[in-house]
Amino acid sequence: MPDGPSKSRDRDRDADLAAIDALIDRLVPALTAKLGASHLGELEVREGDWKIRLRRPATAGSWNGEARRATDRAGRSAAGASGSPAHDPHRVATPASSNGATPGGGHAGHTSGTAGRPSHEHETRRVATSPAVGVFRPNARATVGTRVREGDALGHIDVLGVREDVLAPADGLVGELLTDAGNAVEYGQELLVIAVAAPAGAA
Amino acid sequence: MPDGPSKSRDRDRDADLAAIDALIDRLVPALTAKLGASHLGELEVREGDWKIRLRRPATAGSWNGEARRATDRAGRSAAGASGSPAHDPHRVATPASSNGATPGGGHAGHTSGTAGRPSHEHETRRVATSPAVGVFRPNARATVGTRVREGDALGHIDVLGVREDVLAPADGLVGELLTDAGNAVEYGQELLVIAVAAPAGAA
Amino acid sequence: MFRRVLIANRGEIALRILRACRTMGIEAVVAYSEADRESLPVQLADEAICIGPADAKRSYLSAPALISAAVITGCDAVHPGYGFLSEDETFAEVVRAHDLTFIGPSADVLDKFASKEGTRRLLGSHGLPTIPGSDGMLRDDAHALDEADRIGYPVLIKPSAGGGGKGMRMVRTPRELESAIKICRSEAKSAFGDDSLYLEKWLDDNRHVEVQVAIDRFGRGIHLGERDCSVQRRHQKILEEGPTPALGPAARADLAERAVRAVVAAGYENVGTLEFLVDRDGNPYFIEINCRIQVEHPVTELLTGVDMVALQMRIAAGEPLPLTQSDITLEGHAIEFRINAEDPEHDFRPGAGVVTRYHAPGGPGVRMDSHLYEGYEVPPFYDSLLGKLVVWAPDRATAIARGKAALDELLVEGLTTNIEIHKALLANEAFLDGKMTTNLLDRVGSAAFLAAAARA
Amino acid sequence: MFRRVLIANRGEIALRILRACRTMGIEAVVAYSEADRESLPVQLADEAICIGPADAKRSYLSAPALISAAVITGCDAVHPGYGFLSEDETFAEVVRAHDLTFIGPSADVLDKFASKEGTRRLLGSHGLPTIPGSDGMLRDDAHALDEADRIGYPVLIKPSAGGGGKGMRMVRTPRELESAIKICRSEAKSAFGDDSLYLEKWLDDNRHVEVQVAIDRFGRGIHLGERDCSVQRRHQKILEEGPTPALGPAARADLAERAVRAVVAAGYENVGTLEFLVDRDGNPYFIEINCRIQVEHPVTELLTGVDMVALQMRIAAGEPLPLTQSDITLEGHAIEFRINAEDPEHDFRPGAGVVTRYHAPGGPGVRMDSHLYEGYEVPPFYDSLLGKLVVWAPDRATAIARGKAALDELLVEGLTTNIEIHKALLANEAFLDGKMTTNLLDRVGSAAFLAAAARA
């Protein structure tokens, strides 16, 4: 989501953005390839009235002024997998161990470039996420290889004794569990993978 | 001058910068044309690991966090032309009235995009600037049409009673005076124009 | 003291609580909605946990989500901040039921002071002057009309629950009353889930002055002076200062002492604020109590040097007050400017979007409390407060000059803010004379203020 | 009071003076070199005027350029800040000769206190304990060797002029003395144009404690407590705090009172700082006086609430001190962190470049004095000071915790800073115990500090 100078100009902005997207799309892959290798934090080039700045996304870890978006949720799932709700200063920002395996995450193992788009959007796999903050209790269906239909309950989240069902996001086969039974999970945390027949597309 | 992430990486940076300059040069004119018309302050596009931000340069005027560079000196000369050292809050930032006439300044009458390059660098005119802070005292040579040689004294700056000569920057004909005799001027302020035969080039 | 606190709020107050935790050596866990994933408190927290979607009802207003988050992150206390569930006695009770400490008054205390109208009677019985008002809640329109006649117009219709100007209307005639009362009921219903209303005598040209108190579990109480919040727009505070220019030193001390005596006697606990209207002749009338830390608490912190959030946590932890009244000395003058994402030129329409540039002012006597950073996207789902610029100086004139300079240094780009209205206020004669009344900004209109500033 | 002041300096102190002008209703004209065209003080100034090229000798150190700028911009006073010409009696005299007020001591006073060695004798004669040292300036190597023998090694070679560690060496043997003295002479010559040196007894493990005084034209003086500047690297202060952990309340009060009594008797005027070394047993020895506002003045401002720059201007304008000693109360504890563009991992190599990201910390008890802004290019021509983070809290432990949190919030990207060394200091046992000595950082080495922090 690009910066907007002000609410009142959203429409012009969107128009212009759409227009330059083409140019950008042509440029960025080349730049990324060229610069992904270097260990630069930021580059800037000026010409005439305009300034172009390229910034590498946040290094996972403590506050450095950068948006983190998707890495954050990924971090949570990694943390959930660690099983304990005990204090871990870097828990939020830890990149998901499974990150490399998720396309669309972009280069250097970062996913923040995808600006909030859940990372499974472009995949032939879908992920069941947590509907609440609590403790993950998978049921019998939540075992690798089980065929499930969209909407099937794969278990529940125990929220102070109240159950919130975890539902299958699509028809398919249950794949890896991204966190163990009994783990503390946060809202939206990725719990388990459903391998679907046809690509879901980036709808 | 592009941003540098850190002293210790200057060399990599310069290499990378040189490499992407080509790409940028192809892109920027198109973007500028496309967006110069819009009244946006800033745009940003993200892809993968990279963020591209386009920012319109500072509106001349009070502090808005933008570098001003060339506009500033121009502003001073405009202010000098106003003749009085009296207080004027916007004096420093007033865009030069002669700005439109100076190429390399880029669009919308802004010159800060040229990031510190003196605006006469690419011109067939050269400008004699003030060697000191004080009062401008042009001599007889400093009259429109007079032929002068590089190094000729065109007058002096009175610095608390001490004279500092104003020298012709090149051979040529004296053109317009950019400030009046007796005006208070600052160091580096543009005083008068010398029209030169051949282009000086952007050396 | 607590080992680990769940911060059940967002924005600048979440950051403020986190900073208090840092100085007290307490771990801070920030509970956040999906819309606040990138917020500064989330990034600075020892741990952050997503509790729900952007919709506050399913995140910051969801007791189960917040308490579950506190339990699984191993917290021993919950700080509710202001707004949201900060004064909800049910939430306070459920927090306690899960062996967590609610950082605020106990459920019993919140319950006792939940009804504004009931609180008026209670504190009135303990010697606070109260504003003439209706005899209890309005049963129906007929009852409302009778009471309004008895009190005398103009009257103010007020909801028993909530605050922030919602469901509030001033009416000057029976006809206005009849039409306004319906709107107020529906507003109050939707905003607070409670449509009970009452009437209050409307004082023209009144000042809003509030007394900050702190009372420990052992019934020992102190006051920390007062704040003047007369600069309002539609009952919304936009600038607060202390001491109040409305009262002299003796009257200020007397008001503050009576306030703390009354709430101690009435059994209040924790930090709290007693709000008074002050009429043209300087007579104060108690109107309501706020049982939470307030947006404008930094004014008091700059005048007293006391960390109000730390004090609140100590009281909640059961510690006795570390200060006696004689330890509290008010020095100089402080002004807080609320920086909101709203457009003064377009009826203060709230805004959202990416902060393309942010530069905070600095130097002596300048404090900035803001969760903004460059590149942060302000979500459209919550209130419009972007932060608070607070200045201190030995005297009011110097504080105003310092405020002007700091507002000139402050840069917030990418969304429209009310910074210009603050600059205009500092050029406004009524404000400079210390004569602002709660209705002035609405009466004169923001346009006039901005125009005046342009001329200045 | 002045109507219009020329700020004859740059960076954070130019901004600090400009902010003081704002609160006093004085117009601020900023004199700048071509290298500082984009600096924040230039952009915030009422007027800015370019006085010369980057080379300080032709700009900030050029009396004609500065005074001519003051004259043509219609100023009635010149503030020299610190460094550059701030203690140059000739400059002060020429400023006066042009009917401008020099904001600092008069030329006579500067002249009287110009020689460190002479000042030691003068204030010694007014009752201040001084460090054993050479009998006057060193005539030649033979004289130096004799004096060193008499004083006893180790001894410190010091230049009579200037400061900031240039031309200073500690030697433990006659051989070291002979080789070092040549280096010191050339360093002093090039740095201050004066190669006269003297010797001082070197105290191992000493503390650096300095007393802030203010004396008006009428000979009325007050002190504003002391600052501890024991955290140094090669005689360069990097962190200052107050009160000093080295002395108890009684000893601190006694030192401050003796200091102000002595300088008043010696005829000093304006704000000034008396520097003392304090040995292991808590004995203070006067070493030198600084006749200017100092980098670390905010520590005193946070402890006393007094605006030191405004006070300095009032004194220079000929006003009597607006405060008596009894008005000065020191509250709590303050720590200043100098944020420098230097690389602790590479022997503090100074850096320059564009600030690609800047985010200042905020909240209660946090003050940031910095001329940085995002996109600003730090020029390579001047000192490496990027700004000062200053924190206040009721006690030292809380101030340290607050400092830690603020350093974590602070972002400066685009150039290497010493922020990590400050974090390391706050994790260092000697510092936490208040036992830092001026040689500790050099002895232990920055690497060890950084490593310790990494473990912490």
Side-chain angles (χ1 to χ4, degrees):
Chain A
M1 32 212 69
D3 295 4
S6 105
K7 245 356 193 179
S8 67
R9 293 171 175 172
D10 276 352
R11 261 181 279 76
D12 322 57
R13 193 177 113 241
D14 296 340
D16 282 308
L17 269 182
I20 62 163
D21 252 324
L23 280 162
I24 297 300
D25 287 341
R26 219 177 62 237
L27 175 77
V28 173
L31 288 178
T32 313
K34 178 93 199 77
L35 301 173
S38 85
H39 50 313
L40 296 177
E42 174 156 347
L43 288 179
E44 179 177 299
V45 178
R46 297 184 190 189
E47 171 136 334
D49 257 20
W50 299 101
K51 194 160 88 177
I52 295 200
R53 180 186 295 177
L54 293 82
R55 177 177 290 166
R56 187 188 292 277
T59 347
S62 61
W63 157 240
N64 67 353
E66 267 297 326
R68 282 197 331 282
R69 293 187 162 90
T71 47
D72 191 9
R73 176 180 303 185
R76 169 61 48 184
S77 77
S82 82
S84 125
H87 165 236
D88 168 3
H90 296 300
R91 182 168 173 177
V92 163
T94 311
S97 47
S98 63
N99 223 6
T102 68
H107 320 264
H110 289 292
T111 59
S112 64
T114 59
R117 279 187 254 123
S119 59
H120 52 257
E121 207 169 79
H122 306 305
E123 298 163 26
T124 63
R125 44 172 258 166
R126 298 287 298 277
V127 177
T129 58
S130 171
V133 188
V135 178
F136 178 41
R137 305 285 181 203
N139 62 21
R141 272 207 208 80
T143 45
V144 179
T146 310
R147 176 162 300 283
V148 297
R149 305 197 64 84
E150 177 170 358
D152 285 352
L154 306 174
H156 68 271
I157 303 301
D158 182 324
V159 183
L160 307 174
V162 178
R163 293 170 164 231
E164 299 243 19
D165 283 344
V166 175
L167 304 178
D171 300 358
L173 295 176
V174 174
E176 60 173 327
L177 263 68
L178 301 174
T179 187
D180 298 338
N183 278 352
V185 297
E186 71 177 346
Y187 175 86
Q189 180 169 330
E190 301 187 342
L191 300 179
L192 41 70
V193 174
I194 303 295
V196 298
Chain B
M1 32 209 72
D3 295 7
S6 105
K7 230 27 187 160
S8 68
R9 292 170 177 170
D10 277 350
R11 260 180 281 78
D12 322 58
R13 188 176 117 246
D14 296 338
D16 282 308
L17 269 182
I20 63 164
D21 253 323
L23 281 161
I24 296 300
D25 288 340
R26 219 178 60 240
L27 175 76
V28 174
L31 288 178
T32 312
K34 178 93 198 78
L35 301 172
S38 84
H39 51 314
L40 296 178
E42 176 155 345
L43 288 178
E44 179 177 300
V45 180
R46 297 183 192 190
E47 169 136 338
D49 257 21
W50 298 101
K51 193 160 87 175
I52 294 199
R53 181 186 295 176
L54 293 83
R55 176 177 290 165
R56 188 187 291 277
T59 349
S62 60
W63 157 242
N64 65 356
E66 267 297 328
R68 283 196 331 280
R69 294 186 164 92
T71 48
D72 191 11
R73 176 180 303 185
R76 171 59 50 181
S77 79
S82 81
S84 125
H87 165 235
D88 167 4
H90 296 300
R91 183 168 172 177
V92 163
T94 313
S97 46
S98 63
N99 223 5
T102 67
H107 320 262
H110 290 292
T111 60
S112 65
T114 58
R117 280 187 255 124
S119 59
H120 51 257
E121 216 170 62
H122 307 305
E123 298 163 26
T124 63
R125 63 200 273 273
R126 297 288 298 276
V127 178
T129 59
S130 172
V133 189
V135 178
F136 179 41
R137 306 285 181 205
N139 62 22
R141 273 207 206 79
T143 44
V144 178
T146 311
R147 176 163 301 282
V148 295
R149 307 197 63 84
E150 176 169 358
D152 286 352
L154 307 173
H156 68 271
I157 305 299
D158 182 325
V159 183
L160 306 175
V162 178
R163 293 170 164 234
E164 299 243 20
D165 284 344
V166 175
L167 304 178
D171 299 359
L173 296 176
V174 173
E176 61 173 327
L177 262 68
L178 300 174
T179 187
D180 298 339
N183 276 355
V185 297
E186 71 177 345
Y187 176 86
Q189 180 169 332
E190 301 187 342
L191 300 179
L192 41 71
V193 174
I194 303 295
V196 297
Chain C
M1 184 40 64
F2 313 118
R3 188 183 64 77
R4 202 153 208 255
V5 168
L6 185 89
I7 299 174
N9 211 303
R10 62 176 304 283
E12 70 87 20
I13 193 61
L15 182 57
R16 174 67 186 89
I17 297 161
L18 185 140
R19 284 166 171 161
C21 289
R22 292 274 183 264
T23 57
M24 300 174 81
I26 298 170
E27 290 172 6
V29 179
V30 171
Y32 66 95
S33 80
E34 283 188 313
D36 287 328
R37 190 177 296 283
E38 292 174 53
S39 75
L40 185 52
V42 165
Q43 298 198 46
L44 288 173
D46 293 304
E47 183 174 351
I49 179 162
C50 185
I51 52 169
D55 178 3
K57 286 194 295 303
R58 294 181 56 201
S59 50
Y60 300 111
L61 285 169
S62 165
L66 290 165
I67 295 166
S68 179
V71 169
I72 70 171
T73 56
C75 291
D76 47 15
V78 175
H79 198 307
Y82 50 65
F84 293 131
L85 296 174
S86 58
E87 295 178 275
D88 184 313
E89 64 266 30
T90 317
F91 179 62
E93 178 51 33
V94 184
V95 167
R96 196 202 50 69
H98 285 81
D99 298 322
L100 301 165
T101 303
F102 177 81
I103 298 175
S106 69
D108 302 351
V109 171
L110 286 172
D111 186 46
K112 183 189 254 173
F113 293 89
S115 150
K116 293 183 191 174
E117 191 274 343
T119 303
R120 270 190 325 179
R121 293 163 185 264
L122 176 62
L123 294 187
S125 74
H126 286 292
L128 287 190
T130 58
I131 212 160
S134 58
D135 169 24
M137 292 300 128
L138 302 174
R139 293 188 297 279
D140 50 37
D141 292 11
H143 180 222
L145 288 163
D146 294 346
E147 288 295 291
D149 285 336
R150 186 174 60 74
I151 301 163
Y153 290 91
V155 295
L156 185 66
I157 307 171
K158 295 180 81 174
S160 174
K166 288 201 186 57
M168 235 188 250
R169 287 282 190 292
M170 186 270 282
V171 295
R172 297 192 175 274
T173 66
R175 172 185 300 254
E176 286 179 26
L177 176 64
E178 284 182 288
S179 55
I181 202 161
K182 289 165 187 52
I183 304 164
C184 292
R185 279 208 197 278
S186 61
E187 279 188 12
K189 183 74 187 176
S190 60
F192 320 115
D194 170 4
D195 69 352
S196 48
L197 305 172
Y198 64 99
L199 294 183
E200 218 169 62
K201 171 83 181 146
W202 171 262
L203 306 171
D204 282 308
D205 301 331
N206 62 66
R207 316 272 310 215
H208 176 117
V209 177
E210 57 187 28
V211 176
Q212 177 71 60
V213 299
I215 296 143
D216 66 20
R217 184 164 298 174
F218 313 98
R220 274 195 302 272
I222 58 172
H223 71 77
L224 295 97
E226 85 291 348
R227 298 177 292 254
D228 188 310
C229 313
S230 301
V231 180
Q232 303 186 357
R233 221 194 104 260
R234 313 239 174 107
H235 307 291
Q236 298 273 16
K237 301 167 186 172
I238 63 175
L239 178 154
E240 302 96 347
E241 66 181 312
T244 175
L247 302 172
R252 289 169 40 219
D254 175 63
L255 180 63
E257 281 151 24
R258 286 167 71 186
V260 70
R261 218 180 300 117
V263 281
V264 167
Y268 187 74
E269 181 187 317
N270 206 272
V271 303
T273 300
L274 288 84
E275 298 192 334
F276 295 83
L277 291 185
V278 176
D279 69 17
R280 287 196 186 89
D281 312 318
N283 303 310
Y285 302 93
F286 171 76
I287 47 174
E288 64 180 81
I289 185 169
N290 296 309
C291 308
R292 57 169 192 270
I293 192 75
Q294 280 191 288
V295 174
E296 60 268 29
H297 73 274
V299 168
T300 300
E301 293 184 320
L302 289 183
L303 295 174
T304 62
V306 175
D307 182 328
M308 291 303 299
V309 177
L311 183 62
Q312 180 187 31
M313 291 207 258
R314 295 191 187 290
I315 293 172
E319 295 183 11
L321 276 182
L323 301 153
T324 66
Q325 191 63 63
S326 60
D327 297 323
I328 305 298
T329 53
L330 291 108
E331 289 281 343
H333 196 91
I335 307 176
E336 171 178 281
F337 306 92
R338 295 195 189 193
I339 309 302
N340 296 334
E342 55 188 21
D343 184 351
E345 291 183 4
H346 297 89
D347 194 30
F348 291 82
R349 177 177 53 196
V354 172
V355 178
T356 55
R357 185 151 196 95
Y358 175 62
H359 185 90
V366 173
R367 166 178 169 181
M368 191 75 196
D369 278 42
S370 173
H371 57 294
L372 293 190
Y373 63 87
E374 193 163 306
Y376 171 62
E377 183 163 14
V378 176
F381 310 106
Y382 312 108
D383 72 7
S384 62
L385 187 65
L386 298 178
K388 300 154 349 187
L389 168 60
V390 204
V391 297
W392 178 92
D395 55 80
R396 187 170 190 263
T398 309
I400 288 171
R402 182 162 281 164
K404 275 201 186 95
L407 287 165
D408 286 339
E409 289 182 34
L410 173 62
L411 288 183
V412 180
E413 291 175 16
L415 29 76
T416 309
T417 73
N418 64 341
I419 292 174
E420 287 310 312
I421 202 76
H422 286 301
K423 292 179 182 173
L425 279 163
L426 296 190
N428 174 269
E429 202 176 306
F431 179 80
L432 295 176
D433 296 349
K435 300 214 180 314
M436 281 299 290
T437 53
T438 55
N439 58 349
L440 192 72
L441 189 46
D442 292 327
R443 212 178 56 218
V444 176
S446 333
F449 276 81
L450 294 171
R455 283 192 302 277
Chain D
M1 185 38 66
F2 313 116
R3 189 184 62 76
R4 198 151 212 254
V5 168
L6 184 89
I7 299 175
N9 211 304
R10 62 176 305 282
E12 70 87 19
I13 193 61
L15 181 57
R16 174 66 186 88
I17 297 162
L18 186 143
R19 284 166 171 162
C21 289
R22 292 273 184 268
T23 57
M24 300 174 82
I26 298 170
E27 290 173 6
V29 179
V30 171
Y32 66 94
S33 81
E34 281 188 313
D36 286 327
R37 189 177 296 282
E38 292 173 51
S39 75
L40 185 50
V42 166
Q43 297 199 46
L44 289 173
D46 293 304
E47 182 174 352
I49 179 162
C50 185
I51 52 169
D55 179 2
K57 285 192 296 302
R58 294 180 55 199
S59 50
Y60 301 112
L61 285 169
S62 165
L66 290 165
I67 295 167
S68 179
V71 169
I72 70 173
T73 55
C75 292
D76 46 16
V78 175
H79 198 307
Y82 51 65
F84 293 130
L85 296 174
S86 58
E87 295 177 274
D88 184 315
E89 64 265 31
T90 316
F91 180 62
E93 179 49 33
V94 184
V95 166
R96 195 202 51 69
H98 285 82
D99 298 321
L100 302 166
T101 303
F102 177 80
I103 298 174
S106 68
D108 302 349
V109 172
L110 286 173
D111 186 45
K112 180 187 260 175
F113 294 89
S115 148
K116 292 183 192 174
E117 191 274 342
T119 303
R120 268 189 327 177
R121 291 162 184 265
L122 175 62
L123 294 186
S125 74
H126 285 291
L128 287 190
T130 58
I131 211 161
S134 58
D135 169 23
M137 290 301 125
L138 302 174
R139 292 188 297 277
D140 49 38
D141 292 11
H143 180 223
L145 288 163
D146 294 346
E147 287 295 294
D149 285 336
R150 187 175 58 75
I151 300 163
Y153 291 90
V155 294
L156 184 66
I157 308 169
K158 295 181 80 174
S160 175
K166 288 202 186 59
M168 233 186 252
R169 287 282 190 293
M170 186 269 281
V171 295
R172 296 190 175 276
T173 66
R175 172 185 300 256
E176 283 180 31
L177 176 63
E178 285 182 288
S179 56
I181 202 161
K182 290 166 185 50
I183 304 162
C184 291
R185 279 208 197 278
S186 62
E187 278 188 16
K189 184 73 185 172
S190 60
F192 321 116
D194 169 5
D195 69 354
S196 47
L197 305 172
Y198 64 98
L199 295 182
E200 218 169 61
K201 170 86 185 141
W202 171 263
L203 306 171
D204 282 307
D205 301 333
N206 62 66
R207 317 269 312 211
H208 176 117
V209 177
E210 58 187 28
V211 176
Q212 176 71 60
V213 298
I215 296 144
D216 66 20
R217 184 164 301 175
F218 313 98
R220 275 196 300 272
I222 58 173
H223 71 76
L224 296 97
E226 86 291 349
R227 298 178 292 254
D228 189 310
C229 314
S230 301
V231 181
Q232 302 186 358
R233 222 195 103 262
R234 313 236 176 110
H235 306 292
Q236 297 273 17
K237 302 166 185 172
I238 63 175
L239 178 154
E240 302 97 346
E241 65 181 313
T244 174
L247 301 173
R252 289 170 40 221
D254 175 62
L255 180 63
E257 280 150 24
R258 286 166 70 186
V260 70
R261 216 179 301 120
V263 281
V264 167
Y268 186 75
E269 180 187 319
N270 206 271
V271 301
T273 299
L274 289 84
E275 298 192 334
F276 296 84
L277 291 185
V278 175
D279 68 17
R280 288 196 185 91
D281 312 319
N283 304 310
Y285 302 92
F286 171 75
I287 46 174
E288 64 180 80
I289 186 168
N290 295 309
C291 307
R292 56 170 193 268
I293 193 75
Q294 281 191 287
V295 173
E296 58 268 30
H297 73 274
V299 168
T300 300
E301 293 182 321
L302 289 183
L303 295 173
T304 61
V306 174
D307 183 329
M308 291 303 299
V309 177
L311 182 62
Q312 180 187 30
M313 292 207 258
R314 294 192 187 289
I315 292 172
E319 294 183 11
L321 275 182
L323 301 152
T324 66
Q325 192 63 62
S326 59
D327 296 323
I328 305 298
T329 53
L330 291 108
E331 290 280 344
H333 196 91
I335 307 176
E336 171 177 282
F337 305 91
R338 296 195 189 194
I339 309 302
N340 295 334
E342 53 188 22
D343 184 351
E345 291 183 4
H346 297 88
D347 195 30
F348 292 82
R349 178 177 51 199
V354 173
V355 177
T356 55
R357 186 152 196 96
Y358 175 63
H359 185 90
V366 174
R367 166 179 168 181
M368 191 74 195
D369 278 43
S370 174
H371 57 293
L372 294 189
Y373 63 88
E374 193 163 308
Y376 171 63
E377 183 164 13
V378 176
F381 311 105
Y382 311 108
D383 72 6
S384 62
L385 186 65
L386 299 179
K388 299 157 344 190
L389 167 60
V390 204
V391 297
W392 179 92
D395 55 80
R396 187 170 189 262
T398 309
I400 288 171
R402 182 163 281 163
K404 274 201 186 93
L407 287 166
D408 285 338
E409 289 182 32
L410 173 62
L411 289 182
V412 179
E413 292 175 15
L415 27 77
T416 310
T417 74
N418 64 342
I419 291 174
E420 288 309 312
I421 202 77
H422 286 302
K423 291 180 182 173
L425 278 163
L426 297 191
N428 174 269
E429 203 175 304
F431 179 80
L432 295 176
D433 296 348
K435 301 213 179 313
M436 281 300 288
T437 51
T438 56
N439 57 349
L440 193 73
L441 190 46
D442 292 326
R443 213 179 54 220
V444 177
S446 332
F449 275 81
L450 294 170
R455 284 192 301 278

